[in-house]
Amino acid sequence: GGGTETASSDASTARVDEAKSIVAEHTKRPTEISAKEAIDKPIPRGKQLTFISCGSPACNLESDVIRSATDALGWTLKTINTDGTPEKVKAAWTQVVRDKPDGVLYTATPKAIFAKELKQVKANGTVVAACCTTDPATADGIDFVVGTPKQNEQLGKVMAAWVVAESEGKGNAVFFDIGAFPILTALYKALKPELARLCPDCDVESVDVPLSALGKDVPDRIVSYLRSHPKVKYVVLSADNALAIGLPAALKAAGLGDVKVFGEGPDTTVLQYIANGSMDGTIMFPYYEEMFAMVDAVVRKTVGVPLVDSGTPVWIINKDNLPSSSSLFPVVEDVQEQYFKLWGVKG
Amino acid sequence: MTTDSTAHPTHAPTGGEPPAAAPELTARTLRATFGFGNIGAIWVLLLQIVLFSVWLPDVFPTAATAKQILNSNAGIALAALALVVPLTARVFDLSFAYTMSLSGVTVAYLMVHTGMGLPAAIGIALLAALLVGVINAIVVVVLGVESLIGTLGTGSIIQALITFVTKDISITDDRLTGSFTSIGQTDVGGIVLPVFYAVLAAAATWYVLEHTATGRRLYAAGFNADAARLAGVRVERLRFLSLIASSLIAGFAGIVLASNLGSGSPTAGTPYLLPAFAAVFLGATQFKHGRFNAWGTLTAVLMLGTGLTGLALGSAPPWASNMFTGVVLIAALASSGVQRRTRLRGRRAP
Amino acid sequence: MTTDSTAHPTHAPTGGEPPAAAPELTARTLRATFGFGNIGAIWVLLLQIVLFSVWLPDVFPTAATAKQILNSNAGIALAALALVVPLTARVFDLSFAYTMSLSGVTVAYLMVHTGMGLPAAIGIALLAALLVGVINAIVVVVLGVESLIGTLGTGSIIQALITFVTKDISITDDRLTGSFTSIGQTDVGGIVLPVFYAVLAAAATWYVLEHTATGRRLYAAGFNADAARLAGVRVERLRFLSLIASSLIAGFAGIVLASNLGSGSPTAGTPYLLPAFAAVFLGATQFKHGRFNAWGTLTAVLMLGTGLTGLALGSAPPWASNMFTGVVLIAALASSGVQRRTRLRGRRAP
Amino acid sequence: MADQPVSSGISVLRLRSLSKTFPGTRALSDVSLDVHQGEVHALMGQNGSGKSTLIKILAGYYHADHGAQAWLDDAPVALGVVAASRHDRLRFVHQDLGLILELSAMDNLALLGGFARRPGRIDWAQQRRTTEAMLSRFGADIDVRRPLTEATPVQRTIVAIAAALAGWEGGRGVLVLDEPTAVLPHTEVERLLQIVRELRRSGSSVLYVSHRLDEIFQIADRVTVLRDGSVAATTEVAGLTRNSLAELMVGSAVNADYRAGSRTGGDGEVVLRGRGLRARYLAGVDVELRAGEVLGIAGLPGSGMEELPHLLAGEAPDGPAAGEVQLPGSSAAWWSVGDTRRPRLPIVPADRGREGVIAEFTVAENLSLSVLGKLGCRGRLLKAAERELVDTWTRRVQIKAASTGAVVTSLSGGNQQKVVLARCLAAQAGVLVLSEPTAGVDIGTREAIYDLIAEQAAAGLAVVVSSTDAGDLVAMCHRVLVLGRGTVVAQLEGNDISERAMMSVLGTGEH
Ligand SMILES: Nc1ncnc2c1ncn2[C@@H]1O[C@H](COP(=O)(O)OP(=O)(O)OP(=O)(O)O)[C@@H](O)[C@H]1O
Ligand SMILES: Nc1ncnc2c1ncn2[C@@H]1O[C@H](COP(=O)(O)OP(=O)(O)OP(=O)(O)O)[C@@H](O)[C@H]1O
Ligand SMILES: [Mg+2]
Ligand SMILES: [Mg+2]
């Protein structure tokens, strides 16, 4: 029996090493954006972009990022704020129909809400670019999508590697999902098999958090889970700007200081938790990269060159490589300059 | 010492005008009807229109803007109208927002997962809303639970059921395009059907409250349940019915909303909770001197919606809409406030 | 004579019990004090404890669970206590949730962007809350705007200001760890400081309402403002002060919350809006027969919180918590409902 | 039937074995009552003797205890059920009127009498004409479309009576009036009695509750007297005198024409001055009140007699008002009547239900409300001191309550009035303002109040009393200001104060 044991332990060591190398690889800050092809035709100035803001905090940042791009291009940006209710989103699209801009950008709204307006927008010749939606890009609908479920699967795999690496191949983990956001489900879809592959002894369970718990009793739910599952020491959050807020204090009060927490999509609060060591790591959300990718898509469509792959870089941040805890930052440090170079403009 | 006050020895109180009895067109009637106190929201609305037209002369004062305002406020108008009747009978129905989600999800679920036809699905969704109304009524009227909390409780239960069935995921499918979306998205001369539904619902509410004995009894039950009871008004039955009415209207609003969304969203209704109450209470200060009423509610919805559209047209910063809503709510109510206070004080007129 | 007369809604009222006059310890007094009608929430709480202990014998009935329940409900308890005094004077303060966000953001902003020390930052944040209270009071008491809508308006303005300053991004920095987080995160024997704050706030509220002339006058102003005014109670002044009190408590709760989160979140307070009102209204049915009161509010918070923790310990599905909250709200109120209804009926019977 | 009615006649309404137990109180025990066709049947009794309870059971508002029976025209009636089917046979004016003040006169009439309908909707024009016609029988000049919150108590009473009569013309049935005249002035009482006579002539019956003995002798054929919830007697009115009737109610000898205290008083310091007082009806009145003086204010509705007490007490008036008030006891300053900072005086308001008692409070809490500041020690409310105060005053004004911890609304109307009066007396402010102090107060209590006021006045309390009941003023006052059209038209002093004198000044003494 000893031989097989050694063999299996060798195999498991190998897998742990693989996990560690995946984590190590993604802990290095990416330096290149996925788009490589420069635009060889001149980009006309004076074009008009519209951004439909979702009404959540991140959208304000996104608006600023887009503005830095349009300013460099000599384009104008109009941001329409909505409160996130379907009617107001629809009204914003009605306005896009009236305004006839050259491009419209939006994030995280299902297409069904404005399907009718979308047809008219297309008829006006407006380019439509989206982020963070399960709706696919199709010939007669959205021209370009970044932040797709497929891209999220990549993140799920990295999360699995993190659990294995941190636990030296012994981790029992729990994944907190928000069912209301289908795009997050892709994370677990990839996480579970990847964890099984990297660590057959590890286990993970997905726990669904209802929308109505956000901002209220999420930390209490997580603490309760951990108390009733004392073997679980690794917590993976599907969206830590919604799930991690207040968690460190709750873990501390419950004496669960040995639990490690990892996530995806931090806000400044989460960055702060990472900075002071009360959270262990997270995958940075590529706000800058995705906004620029959308603008880039509109630019390419406008000048008539083929669109490029919408993949975005993955970066694990932890206490040691965190650039700042008081503001959000790009994944690729000079993302702006790299795009400007592709566009042939100066920032 | 105010010398001017002695110049008006017979003080004319500004009170409620009758709804239907032909008013003589005296200066006093005119003042009471068109004075700032009675239609503050309309003046604020007009002021907004002037200001936005000056600020955005090209885009704001257009027919397209008018249509956009109407179209984008039909849903909230329907939601608010659901509240007028129960509030008249002094019953809070906080569950209406959840009922909206419920009926939308029900239609979508039935069409997508059972392949049911649209009319049948709508019928069952309305039945579900009716059931909610009955349960609310049992909780509030029969069990005697304070309506504000009782309906928050039923709302919470409805949300639980929705989560149970949908797992909090919107129900979308190709089967939901076509006839289903046409309920909410068909437009007539640029104005979508929900606008007409809202006007119809307002007209019906107005007719019931102003022109039927039931309406008068609803007000009586709301103002003074005990006296109404002594006068032979069946207060409990009216409360029961008013909760059913609100659930049915909310259920209908939810179907319209889902059709607008093209999907059954498990949380579609919740954003309407506070705005709808704000509109109904603001509406109560309009036209009818503190009584909940349908046209006042519509006016309030338009007054709040116009500004938001204007701000969006002018690409105002993200904080502007909240600021605007707050200021306008207070302005419209304060201008009616003096009025209302004197009415309340009037009770003490010896 | 019909046999269903007992079920008749217009049933004979029973008078309320004496809160002030010394109750003799008769069987009736005991029943009134410990009967289901008066402390329904406590019975429901005990029932929960038994059920969860049977279901989860290993994890539920432990000291750790008790501590967890206390710790995780201190914030909502503070928020709810902010509402007790204004509601007693019949003033709704919906802005409290936004005031919570405001004070948290203010402390964080001052410490991070101006390098101010903690005590000064807290002082200024409380001043900001005080200012909100004064503005609320001006809107509601001086301008005479219906409090439900007036404070929704001021809340909306506060949110706009927060968005303006923070761009809706949480304020974080290293400077916020250390002394700032210790306000909310320090624990004494496993129980964090906010629990003690909540108990202190409840004790203070209880003392004011039960043992001072001001408390009695607040109840009088809330029950019948006109009669109270004629009896020499300065109703307007009390309403004014009650709004200031609620803003101050909410401001303090916001600071505690921010300390707990370790950041100034622009929307930290909003999720507390409905749960806090639910707790206060439920609390009003406990101990004091329909009067808003501090201990009843704490009991209600615990009753609702215990279930949520228990369900999470048992890994209940995501819909379970809403279902539970709804059922328990209705159960606790219905069991007190019969009681309360008779009190209300008693009011009019001349 | 076992117990035969005292007088013969056909019974329209018969009640047998009617009992009602509230927690802690037996309001009615084994009451039997017959109302004959075409008679005015008075129901008398002290405060809390069960009159209103009996009426509310008839109206279906309360259930009776088991065993009660009732017949209307020999058809058994289910007590404690609001039945529309009885609506054409039984009509009510409840104590404290049972109106919905936020609604207009038109609406209130329609709720009781039915709506004028066109197919599918209410015919508001017709409804308005009907309402105006009904109200014109009383000569009431009110806008039928405006909420009754704006109406005076007198106007409200008229609306309540008109509403009870709306759509109920004669025939066999009973009109039940529970203290309709509690706040009505003499002229309006006359009109009401006239209407009651007309009803009797047309064959209707009236069950009539009042504490005013004169009315009973003017109008009633028979009287049932309740004492502590039981029938003390049912008898022909013709065989009674004022004193014997009063004695039946109280159970011991009383003087129905009681006058309290001495005829003269008020030679003390001036404690209250008002000058140039104007308001909606007042058109310039000067007042001076001395310590130990009881000053009456008489007048018809619209003369300003309802407004004056409120202005003097420091209630910021509703509409424009002018004038100044001085309280020489505390300072020499003249306060404008609109000044909200000016010190307030304790007042017993006319509208007890809305402005007097706090319905959710107990008797004790209501009583101590105005003196809480004196019951404390550094902000703390001393419960023992409160209890002592409450016990003292409950005894002094003889409040009949199950306990001082009972909700005040469980008291009878008259006892609630005593609670409010006790609250104001307890404040010991030196000046006391009373508006309709004896509204709904029984004869025994009324005398107790007269005595109490006289006793306090002798000790230096200055009192302003306005009352529509001339008897009050005669019994209590040292001096009476008679108001007409907003000004003082006469001042009566000492032994000149009499009902006849007041009526002759007001021009209503012709009957
Ligand atoms: N809702 C109630 N709960 C408890 N006790 C009540 C209630 N209503 C009346 N009572 C009691 O019943 C008795 C009779 O009251 P009722 O109102 O019938 O008297 P009344 O004869 O009409 O007196 P008044 O002349 O003062 O109007 C009183 O002792 C009163 O305290
Ligand atoms: N309508 C009234 N009826 C009876 N007393 C009145 C009335 N109006 C005023 N008072 C008198 O005024 C006082 C109430 O005013 P205020 O609240 O300013 O005094 P306070 O009770 O001493 O206040 P504090 O408790 O704050 O010291 C009472 O003590 C009472 O004597
Ligand atoms: Mg009575
Ligand atoms: Mg009486």
Side-chain angles (χ1 to χ4, degrees), chain C residues 13-15 345-346 349-350, chain D residues 22-23 25-27 45-54 62 95 178-179 209 211 226 400-402 409-415 440-442:
Chain C
T14 55
R345 297 293 321 284
Chain D
F22 291 113
T25 316
R26 188 156 172 88
Q46 285 184 283
N47 293 136
S49 56
K51 306 180 293 296
S52 299
T53 304
L54 185 150
Y62 290 148
Q95 187 169 21
D178 192 355
E179 299 195 33
V209 180
H211 290 293
L226 292 181
K400 185 187 173 218
T409 42
S410 70
L411 267 58
S412 74
N415 278 298
V441 170
D442 69 42

Short mmCIF file of all heavy atoms in Angstrom, two decimals, chain C residues 13-15 345-346 349-350, chain D residues 22-23 25-27 45-54 62 95 178-179 209 211 226 400-402 409-415 440-442, ligand 1:
data_model
loop_
_atom_site.label_atom_id
_atom_site.label_comp_id
_atom_site.label_asym_id
_atom_site.label_seq_id
_atom_site.Cartn_x
_atom_site.Cartn_y
_atom_site.Cartn_z
N PRO C 13 -65.17 46.20 23.49
CA PRO C 13 -63.77 46.49 23.82
C PRO C 13 -63.51 46.22 25.29
O PRO C 13 -64.40 46.28 26.14
CB PRO C 13 -63.63 47.96 23.52
CG PRO C 13 -65.01 48.51 23.67
CD PRO C 13 -65.97 47.40 23.41
N THR C 14 -62.27 45.88 25.55
CA THR C 14 -61.85 45.83 26.93
C THR C 14 -60.89 46.98 27.12
O THR C 14 -60.15 47.32 26.22
CB THR C 14 -61.08 44.54 27.20
OG1 THR C 14 -60.01 44.48 26.26
CG2 THR C 14 -61.94 43.33 27.04
N GLY C 15 -60.93 47.56 28.25
CA GLY C 15 -60.04 48.71 28.45
C GLY C 15 -58.60 48.26 28.49
O GLY C 15 -58.28 47.10 28.66
N ARG C 345 -60.45 49.99 19.63
CA ARG C 345 -61.90 50.15 19.67
C ARG C 345 -62.31 50.92 20.92
O ARG C 345 -63.23 51.69 20.91
CB ARG C 345 -62.59 48.78 19.66
CG ARG C 345 -62.36 47.94 18.45
CD ARG C 345 -63.00 48.55 17.22
NE ARG C 345 -64.29 49.13 17.55
CZ ARG C 345 -65.39 48.43 17.76
NH1 ARG C 345 -65.37 47.14 17.66
NH2 ARG C 345 -66.50 49.04 18.05
N GLY C 346 -61.58 50.69 21.97
CA GLY C 346 -61.91 51.37 23.21
C GLY C 346 -61.85 52.87 23.08
O GLY C 346 -62.60 53.59 23.71
N ALA C 349 -65.18 54.61 21.88
CA ALA C 349 -66.40 54.36 22.63
C ALA C 349 -66.56 55.44 23.68
O ALA C 349 -65.77 55.50 24.61
CB ALA C 349 -66.31 52.99 23.29
N PRO C 350 -67.49 56.30 23.53
CA PRO C 350 -67.56 57.41 24.47
C PRO C 350 -68.27 56.99 25.75
O PRO C 350 -68.94 55.98 25.77
CB PRO C 350 -68.39 58.45 23.74
CG PRO C 350 -68.85 57.84 22.46
CD PRO C 350 -68.53 56.39 22.48
N PHE D 22 -68.77 45.19 31.00
CA PHE D 22 -67.44 45.48 30.49
C PHE D 22 -66.46 44.93 31.52
O PHE D 22 -66.81 44.78 32.69
CB PHE D 22 -67.21 46.98 30.36
CG PHE D 22 -68.02 47.62 29.28
CD1 PHE D 22 -69.05 48.51 29.59
CD2 PHE D 22 -67.77 47.34 27.95
CE1 PHE D 22 -69.79 49.11 28.59
CE2 PHE D 22 -68.51 47.94 26.96
CZ PHE D 22 -69.53 48.82 27.27
N PRO D 23 -65.23 44.67 31.10
CA PRO D 23 -64.27 44.22 32.11
C PRO D 23 -64.21 45.21 33.26
O PRO D 23 -63.92 46.38 33.06
CB PRO D 23 -62.95 44.19 31.34
CG PRO D 23 -63.33 44.10 29.90
CD PRO D 23 -64.65 44.78 29.77
N THR D 25 -66.60 46.52 34.89
CA THR D 25 -67.78 47.36 35.07
C THR D 25 -69.02 46.62 34.60
O THR D 25 -69.00 46.00 33.53
CB THR D 25 -67.70 48.65 34.22
OG1 THR D 25 -66.40 49.18 34.32
CG2 THR D 25 -68.73 49.66 34.66
N ARG D 26 -70.07 46.68 35.39
CA ARG D 26 -71.35 46.19 34.90
C ARG D 26 -72.15 47.42 34.51
O ARG D 26 -72.64 48.15 35.36
CB ARG D 26 -72.07 45.37 35.96
CG ARG D 26 -73.30 44.67 35.46
CD ARG D 26 -73.62 43.46 36.34
NE ARG D 26 -74.92 42.85 36.01
CZ ARG D 26 -75.07 41.90 35.10
NH1 ARG D 26 -74.03 41.47 34.42
NH2 ARG D 26 -76.27 41.37 34.85
N ALA D 27 -72.22 47.69 33.23
CA ALA D 27 -72.82 48.93 32.76
C ALA D 27 -74.35 48.86 32.80
O ALA D 27 -75.01 49.84 33.11
CB ALA D 27 -72.36 49.25 31.35
N GLY D 45 -80.62 59.49 33.82
CA GLY D 45 -79.74 58.79 34.74
C GLY D 45 -78.45 59.56 34.88
O GLY D 45 -78.09 60.37 34.03
N GLN D 46 -77.78 59.28 35.98
CA GLN D 46 -76.53 59.99 36.22
C GLN D 46 -75.46 59.56 35.21
O GLN D 46 -75.63 58.56 34.50
CB GLN D 46 -76.04 59.70 37.63
CG GLN D 46 -76.83 60.43 38.68
CD GLN D 46 -76.24 60.18 40.04
OE1 GLN D 46 -76.43 59.13 40.61
NE2 GLN D 46 -75.52 61.16 40.55
N ASN D 47 -74.38 60.28 35.21
CA ASN D 47 -73.26 59.89 34.34
C ASN D 47 -72.83 58.49 34.68
O ASN D 47 -72.63 58.15 35.84
CB ASN D 47 -72.07 60.84 34.53
CG ASN D 47 -72.37 62.24 34.05
OD1 ASN D 47 -72.05 63.21 34.69
ND2 ASN D 47 -73.03 62.33 32.90
N GLY D 48 -72.69 57.69 33.65
CA GLY D 48 -72.22 56.33 33.86
C GLY D 48 -73.31 55.38 34.27
O GLY D 48 -73.03 54.25 34.65
N SER D 49 -74.57 55.81 34.18
CA SER D 49 -75.65 54.92 34.59
C SER D 49 -76.01 53.94 33.48
O SER D 49 -76.80 53.03 33.69
CB SER D 49 -76.87 55.73 35.01
OG SER D 49 -77.26 56.58 33.96
N GLY D 50 -75.45 54.12 32.29
CA GLY D 50 -75.65 53.11 31.25
C GLY D 50 -76.51 53.52 30.07
O GLY D 50 -76.82 52.70 29.22
N LYS D 51 -76.85 54.77 29.99
CA LYS D 51 -77.74 55.22 28.91
C LYS D 51 -77.11 55.01 27.53
O LYS D 51 -77.72 54.42 26.63
CB LYS D 51 -78.07 56.71 29.10
CG LYS D 51 -78.65 57.06 30.47
CD LYS D 51 -78.95 58.52 30.61
CE LYS D 51 -77.72 59.42 30.59
NZ LYS D 51 -76.81 59.21 31.73
N SER D 52 -75.92 55.52 27.39
CA SER D 52 -75.28 55.40 26.07
C SER D 52 -74.98 53.95 25.74
O SER D 52 -75.05 53.55 24.57
CB SER D 52 -73.98 56.21 26.05
OG SER D 52 -74.27 57.56 26.29
N THR D 53 -74.66 53.17 26.74
CA THR D 53 -74.39 51.76 26.48
C THR D 53 -75.63 51.08 25.93
O THR D 53 -75.57 50.34 24.95
CB THR D 53 -73.93 51.08 27.79
OG1 THR D 53 -72.80 51.77 28.29
CG2 THR D 53 -73.58 49.63 27.55
N LEU D 54 -76.78 51.38 26.56
CA LEU D 54 -78.04 50.82 26.07
C LEU D 54 -78.24 51.19 24.61
O LEU D 54 -78.60 50.37 23.77
CB LEU D 54 -79.17 51.34 26.95
CG LEU D 54 -80.58 50.79 26.70
CD1 LEU D 54 -81.36 50.79 28.00
CD2 LEU D 54 -81.33 51.57 25.66
N TYR D 62 -72.25 47.52 20.31
CA TYR D 62 -71.80 46.56 21.32
C TYR D 62 -72.72 45.35 21.30
O TYR D 62 -73.86 45.44 20.88
CB TYR D 62 -71.93 47.15 22.74
CG TYR D 62 -70.97 48.25 23.09
CD1 TYR D 62 -71.38 49.25 23.97
CD2 TYR D 62 -69.69 48.30 22.59
CE1 TYR D 62 -70.52 50.28 24.33
CE2 TYR D 62 -68.82 49.31 22.94
CZ TYR D 62 -69.24 50.30 23.81
OH TYR D 62 -68.39 51.30 24.16
N GLN D 95 -74.24 60.00 21.39
CA GLN D 95 -73.52 60.94 22.22
C GLN D 95 -72.18 61.20 21.55
O GLN D 95 -71.56 60.29 21.02
CB GLN D 95 -73.29 60.35 23.61
CG GLN D 95 -72.69 61.34 24.58
CD GLN D 95 -72.72 60.83 26.00
OE1 GLN D 95 -72.83 59.63 26.24
NE2 GLN D 95 -72.65 61.73 26.95
N ASP D 178 -79.21 60.74 21.86
CA ASP D 178 -78.40 60.64 23.08
C ASP D 178 -77.75 61.99 23.34
O ASP D 178 -76.77 62.36 22.70
CB ASP D 178 -77.33 59.54 22.90
CG ASP D 178 -76.65 59.18 24.22
OD1 ASP D 178 -76.93 59.84 25.24
OD2 ASP D 178 -75.83 58.24 24.22
N GLU D 179 -78.32 62.72 24.27
CA GLU D 179 -77.82 64.05 24.64
C GLU D 179 -77.61 64.96 23.44
O GLU D 179 -76.52 65.49 23.23
CB GLU D 179 -76.52 63.93 25.44
CG GLU D 179 -76.75 63.16 26.73
CD GLU D 179 -75.62 63.33 27.70
OE1 GLU D 179 -75.02 64.42 27.71
OE2 GLU D 179 -75.34 62.39 28.46
N VAL D 209 -82.47 61.23 25.46
CA VAL D 209 -81.57 61.30 26.61
C VAL D 209 -81.14 62.73 26.80
O VAL D 209 -80.73 63.40 25.84
CB VAL D 209 -80.33 60.42 26.41
CG1 VAL D 209 -79.41 60.51 27.63
CG2 VAL D 209 -80.72 58.99 26.15
N HIS D 211 -79.60 65.56 30.12
CA HIS D 211 -79.42 65.88 31.53
C HIS D 211 -80.16 67.15 31.91
O HIS D 211 -80.12 67.58 33.05
CB HIS D 211 -77.93 66.02 31.87
CG HIS D 211 -77.20 64.73 31.83
ND1 HIS D 211 -77.44 63.71 32.73
CD2 HIS D 211 -76.24 64.25 30.99
CE1 HIS D 211 -76.65 62.69 32.44
NE2 HIS D 211 -75.93 62.99 31.39
N LEU D 226 -82.45 55.34 34.89
CA LEU D 226 -81.46 54.29 35.18
C LEU D 226 -80.62 54.74 36.36
O LEU D 226 -80.28 55.92 36.49
CB LEU D 226 -80.53 54.08 33.98
CG LEU D 226 -81.11 53.46 32.72
CD1 LEU D 226 -80.03 53.32 31.66
CD2 LEU D 226 -81.73 52.10 33.02
N LYS D 400 -66.19 58.59 38.52
CA LYS D 400 -66.61 57.21 38.64
C LYS D 400 -65.88 56.37 37.59
O LYS D 400 -66.16 56.49 36.40
CB LYS D 400 -68.13 57.11 38.43
CG LYS D 400 -68.66 55.71 38.66
CD LYS D 400 -70.13 55.58 38.27
CE LYS D 400 -70.56 54.13 38.35
NZ LYS D 400 -71.47 53.77 37.26
N ALA D 401 -64.91 55.62 38.06
CA ALA D 401 -64.13 54.81 37.12
C ALA D 401 -63.79 53.50 37.79
O ALA D 401 -63.69 53.43 39.01
CB ALA D 401 -62.84 55.53 36.73
N ALA D 402 -63.61 52.45 36.97
CA ALA D 402 -63.23 51.14 37.53
C ALA D 402 -61.93 51.28 38.30
O ALA D 402 -61.76 50.75 39.37
CB ALA D 402 -63.09 50.12 36.40
N THR D 409 -61.49 56.37 27.89
CA THR D 409 -62.68 56.21 27.07
C THR D 409 -63.62 55.14 27.61
O THR D 409 -64.71 54.98 27.11
CB THR D 409 -62.30 55.85 25.63
OG1 THR D 409 -61.24 54.90 25.67
CG2 THR D 409 -61.87 57.07 24.87
N SER D 410 -63.18 54.42 28.63
CA SER D 410 -64.11 53.46 29.22
C SER D 410 -65.02 54.16 30.23
O SER D 410 -65.91 53.55 30.79
CB SER D 410 -63.35 52.31 29.90
OG SER D 410 -62.69 52.78 31.05
N LEU D 411 -64.79 55.46 30.43
CA LEU D 411 -65.65 56.21 31.32
C LEU D 411 -66.85 56.75 30.55
O LEU D 411 -66.78 56.95 29.33
CB LEU D 411 -64.89 57.40 31.92
CG LEU D 411 -64.22 57.16 33.27
CD1 LEU D 411 -63.25 56.02 33.18
CD2 LEU D 411 -63.52 58.43 33.73
N SER D 412 -67.92 57.03 31.27
CA SER D 412 -69.06 57.66 30.62
C SER D 412 -68.69 59.09 30.28
O SER D 412 -67.73 59.65 30.81
CB SER D 412 -70.26 57.64 31.55
OG SER D 412 -70.07 58.60 32.56
N GLY D 413 -69.46 59.66 29.36
CA GLY D 413 -69.16 61.01 28.88
C GLY D 413 -68.99 62.01 30.00
O GLY D 413 -68.03 62.80 30.03
N GLY D 414 -69.91 62.01 30.93
CA GLY D 414 -69.86 62.98 32.00
C GLY D 414 -68.62 62.81 32.86
O GLY D 414 -68.01 63.79 33.31
N ASN D 415 -68.24 61.57 33.08
CA ASN D 415 -67.05 61.34 33.89
C ASN D 415 -65.78 61.74 33.17
O ASN D 415 -64.82 62.21 33.78
CB ASN D 415 -66.98 59.87 34.33
CG ASN D 415 -67.85 59.63 35.54
OD1 ASN D 415 -67.63 60.21 36.60
ND2 ASN D 415 -68.89 58.84 35.36
N GLY D 440 -73.11 67.49 29.00
CA GLY D 440 -73.26 66.07 29.25
C GLY D 440 -73.03 65.66 30.68
O GLY D 440 -72.81 64.50 30.96
N VAL D 441 -73.08 66.60 31.58
CA VAL D 441 -72.82 66.27 32.98
C VAL D 441 -74.16 66.14 33.71
O VAL D 441 -75.05 66.96 33.53
CB VAL D 441 -71.94 67.36 33.63
CG1 VAL D 441 -71.86 67.17 35.11
CG2 VAL D 441 -70.57 67.35 32.99
N ASP D 442 -74.29 65.10 34.51
CA ASP D 442 -75.58 64.87 35.17
C ASP D 442 -75.82 65.88 36.30
O ASP D 442 -74.91 66.61 36.69
CB ASP D 442 -75.70 63.44 35.67
CG ASP D 442 -74.76 63.15 36.83
OD1 ASP D 442 -74.62 64.00 37.73
OD2 ASP D 442 -74.15 62.06 36.83
N1 LIG E 1 -65.90 50.71 26.31
C1 LIG E 1 -66.08 50.60 27.61
N2 LIG E 1 -65.23 49.85 28.33
C2 LIG E 1 -65.40 49.73 29.67
N3 LIG E 1 -66.37 50.34 30.36
C3 LIG E 1 -67.25 51.10 29.69
C4 LIG E 1 -67.13 51.28 28.29
N4 LIG E 1 -68.12 52.09 27.88
C5 LIG E 1 -68.83 52.41 28.98
N5 LIG E 1 -68.30 51.82 30.07
C6 LIG E 1 -68.82 51.93 31.45
O1 LIG E 1 -70.18 51.64 31.42
C7 LIG E 1 -70.89 52.48 32.29
C8 LIG E 1 -72.01 53.17 31.55
O2 LIG E 1 -71.49 54.11 30.63
P1 LIG E 1 -72.44 54.96 29.67
O3 LIG E 1 -71.58 55.64 28.71
O4 LIG E 1 -73.50 54.08 29.14
O5 LIG E 1 -73.08 56.00 30.66
P2 LIG E 1 -74.13 57.16 30.37
O6 LIG E 1 -75.33 56.83 31.15
O7 LIG E 1 -74.30 57.34 28.94
O8 LIG E 1 -73.38 58.38 31.03
P3 LIG E 1 -73.28 59.92 30.55
O9 LIG E 1 -74.47 60.61 31.03
O10 LIG E 1 -72.09 60.42 31.26
O11 LIG E 1 -73.14 59.92 29.09
C9 LIG E 1 -69.84 53.47 32.85
O12 LIG E 1 -69.47 53.04 34.12
C10 LIG E 1 -68.68 53.33 31.94
O13 LIG E 1 -67.48 53.54 32.64
#
